[in-house]
Amino acid sequence: MTATIVAGGVDFTVRAPCAGAVWLCLFDGDTERRIAMVRSGDVWHARVDGAREGTRYGFRTDADPAKLLVDPHAVTLDRRFAYDPHLRKPRIDTAALVPKAVVTAPLPPLDLPPLFRAGGLIYEINVRAFTMRHPDVPPAQRGTIAALAHPAVIAHLQRIGVAAVELMPVVAWIDERHLPPLGLGNGWGYNPVVPMALDPRLAPGGIAELRTTVAALRDAGIGTLLDLVFNHTGESDLLGPTLSLRGLDDAAYARAPDGTLINDAGTGNTLDFASPAVRALTLDTLRHFVTQAGVDGFRFDLATVMARGPGFDRDAPIFAEIAADAVLRDRVLIAEPWDIGPGGYQLGNFPTDWLEWNDRYRDDVRRFWRGDGSAGALATRLMGSSDLFGDRTRAVSFVAAHDGFTLADTVAFATRHNHANGEDNRDGHAGEIAWNNGVEGDNEDATVRAARDADVRALLATLFATHGTILLTAGDEFGRTQAGNNNGYAQDELLWLDWEGRDRKRESFVADLARRRAACASLADPAIAHDATWLRLDGQPMRDADWQDAPGFILRLRDATITVDRTARTVTLTPSDQPQIA
């Protein structure tokens, strides 16, 4: 921590290697008190007698003393970030515009083994959207981390077989500068400013709220993973705001030989993981959430950036540093194994003890059920994608996620409908594999609705019959829709789940799938290499041509039989000791 409570006061430290002077700024209401800090190498120090827990503070440097800067190691903020054009204009004071860090005493450290490990169902949750419309959650608690510990929420998670929740970003973020003029805001959170401070709207109780919720989920047999963003910060490009690292340690951002900011994340800047200081901040953040909140692990957004220096290196230092860390080495680590930079697609190339989001699974499964994919490709994905990961299944398999069409929209829209985002429908993935069953969008025709329902059930059943770790985005089990918007990051209310209007039959179908998967122990164990028997739907052995042309297959495992029939639009998962039910 860079604000450490000591006897009689607080020690403040901050790294600012290029500064000629740094001031600690203490706030009592709107009154600011500046204290010159003393340099020791790249780090600046100030001891303040009489300061205590709850003291609000920031920093300023001589590069532009008008800009108040947030402590990169802050763990508590007094309010959320809000974009203002003055944040990027030099020599305009921003003290009234920037959240203040709050001195916070650490909680007693936790030392718990991970509850969740590879295998099982990960349930991806947008914390705010998940409970904003939940009728059983008290209104004052809706949209917060604490709401995830509500008995009604936990009961739902248990019913559909959730092994771990994966919380989309919960640290404080700022809206991209083009959104406020459009009356929009970032509803996903993938634009953080400092990596440890929880967003006050999501966690009004701070780190203690996250810790209490993680404990309640753990008591229910459910692990917790955090989706963290280390590929960039909300300071964006040179037209972006000056909020923290830009004013304190601008070398944290990767630059090309000509000095321009590298933009491998597509957000205006990229953190430079060739820098030991960037890696140290990352490791400090991970340790903070393990010891202070007890989380089981992490999913890393655009994780390829973390192994760049500037090119991707599968032996990048960050991997060895995490593996050697006594606090982190047993945590679950999940990579989103791509970014938009040169050589940015690195599926299958992360360390062998990491899991990886498998978009090849999503695409091949969707193609099969759309009618233009092969049984062979589906079989490879169903069994854990050995072509990508070898015998040990490291895939996180999913058919839909927060980014892209919802599961229901995948079979109801053939093209994106993102006009509300204010970018003339140019944003979001243009080539997403989706189909509309003959009519674009919402439709009351019984035949169309039945076809869509059959497609969704087939996709869900395929997912639950897949070897290894699987992922379901919250609400896809009961028909969440974004009306064809496949880039809903800027549509806060559109993301809110409709608990009252949910498809309860589909939810029950998923609960039954979860029970069947739980009875097939081999499916969730990534270490098991299956002794599989593959048959045609007529019971005869699969021939070479069948892998390309057959409409399905029968897969026999030691503890289950899986039947895939594209013509009937069904997948059956039958544990060896249970009757077959489609």
Side-chain angles (χ1 to χ4, degrees), residues 179-268:
L179 294 179
L182 298 172
L184 302 174
N186 187 318
W188 282 354
Y190 290 96
N191 204 36
V193 179
V194 294
M196 298 185 214
L198 298 173
D199 193 291
R201 182 171 64 172
L202 301 184
I207 191 67
E209 179 173 335
L210 177 60
R211 181 176 176 135
T212 299
T213 298
V214 170
L217 291 166
R218 187 182 181 95
D219 286 345
I222 299 168
T224 302
L225 309 171
L226 297 185
D227 189 345
L228 297 181
V229 180
F230 292 115
N231 56 78
H232 78 286
T233 79
E235 291 185 307
S236 187
D237 57 21
L238 293 181
L239 298 178
T242 296
L243 300 167
S244 182
L245 287 174
R246 174 158 287 151
L248 293 165
D249 185 12
D250 196 43
Y253 297 118
R255 281 178 163 77
D258 64 0
T260 58
L261 284 166
I262 291 174
N263 189 24
D264 290 337
T267 54

Side-chain angles (χ1 to χ4, degrees), residues 368 374-385 534 542 547 553 555:
F368 178 84
S374 69
L378 179 67
T380 299
R381 302 297 158 236
L382 197 68
M383 294 300 290
S385 297
W534 300 89
M542 291 285 284
W547 294 114
F553 48 74
L555 167 59

Side-chain angles (χ1 to χ4, degrees), residues 411-432:
V411 302
F413 295 89
T415 59
R416 62 189 176 187
H417 295 265
N418 299 354
H419 299 87
N421 294 354
E423 299 183 46
D424 297 324
N425 206 35
R426 295 191 304 269
D427 63 306
H429 186 31
E432 190 164 359

Side-chain angles (χ1 to χ4, degrees), residues 213-355:
T213 298
V214 170
L217 291 166
R218 187 182 181 95
D219 286 345
I222 299 168
T224 302
L225 309 171
L226 297 185
D227 189 345
L228 297 181
V229 180
F230 292 115
N231 56 78
H232 78 286
T233 79
E235 291 185 307
S236 187
D237 57 21
L238 293 181
L239 298 178
T242 296
L243 300 167
S244 182
L245 287 174
R246 174 158 287 151
L248 293 165
D249 185 12
D250 196 43
Y253 297 118
R255 281 178 163 77
D258 64 0
T260 58
L261 284 166
I262 291 174
N263 189 24
D264 290 337
T267 54
N269 63 27
T270 301
L271 284 168
D272 184 6
F273 271 80
S275 164
V278 169
R279 300 198 305 273
L281 179 59
T282 300
L283 292 168
D284 286 347
T285 301
L286 302 183
R287 285 191 290 263
H288 169 71
F289 284 119
V290 171
T291 62
Q292 294 292 286
V295 302
D296 296 88
F298 307 93
R299 182 261 190 189
F300 300 104
D301 181 64
L302 301 183
T304 307
V305 168
M306 298 171 66
R308 284 187 176 277
F312 177 85
D313 181 359
R314 62 189 308 166
D315 296 317
I318 190 65
F319 298 143
E321 289 167 355
I322 292 174
D325 191 282
V327 173
L328 303 177
R329 60 191 177 203
D330 65 348
R331 299 296 119 172
V332 176
L333 306 169
I334 305 174
E336 182 182 36
W338 52 77
D339 61 35
I340 69 165
Y345 189 76
Q346 294 292 335
L347 179 64
N349 290 328
F350 278 73
T352 56
D353 56 346
W354 284 51
L355 302 178

Side-chain angles (χ1 to χ4, degrees), residues 6-156:
V6 296
V10 177
D11 277 341
F12 294 90
T13 61
V14 68
R15 187 176 189 275
C18 295
V22 178
W23 295 272
L24 169 68
C25 306
L26 303 180
F27 291 86
D28 184 1
D30 294 331
T31 301
E32 178 182 350
R33 172 189 172 201
R34 298 188 190 182
I35 300 171
M37 303 186 77
V38 177
R39 182 167 198 157
S40 176
D42 290 342
V43 178
W44 298 75
H45 305 260
R47 163 73 179 265
V48 181
D49 292 331
R52 60 190 184 278
E53 185 169 16
T55 296
R56 298 159 61 239
Y57 71 98
F59 301 105
R60 297 180 189 268
T61 76
D62 60 341
D64 187 348
K67 291 289 176 276
L68 186 71
L69 305 170
V70 180
D71 183 356
H73 277 78
V75 298
T76 306
L77 301 178
D78 66 350
R79 57 190 169 91
R80 302 184 68 234
F81 286 97
Y83 181 80
D84 187 292
H86 291 103
L87 293 169
R88 66 180 179 86
K89 295 178 180 178
R91 295 176 296 281
I92 294 179
D93 195 282
T94 58
L97 302 176
V98 175
K100 314 305 183 291
V102 181
V103 175
T104 304
L107 300 170
L110 296 169
D111 183 14
L112 299 171
L115 177 67
F116 173 80
R117 298 188 185 272
L121 171 63
I122 296 174
Y123 190 68
E124 185 188 39
I125 293 178
N126 179 316
V127 170
R128 176 170 164 80
F130 188 61
T131 58
M132 285 298 291
R133 290 179 175 155
H134 199 299
D136 297 326
V137 175
Q141 198 180 58
R142 292 174 187 170
T144 69
I145 290 173
L148 304 181
H150 191 279
V153 171
I154 289 179
H156 177 77

Side-chain angles (χ1 to χ4, degrees), residues 483-501:
N485 189 323
N486 76 344
N487 191 30
Y489 81 103
Q491 304 297 324
D492 182 40
E493 290 195 30
L494 182 66
L495 304 176
W496 298 1
L497 297 188
D498 181 8
W499 289 92
E500 294 279 20

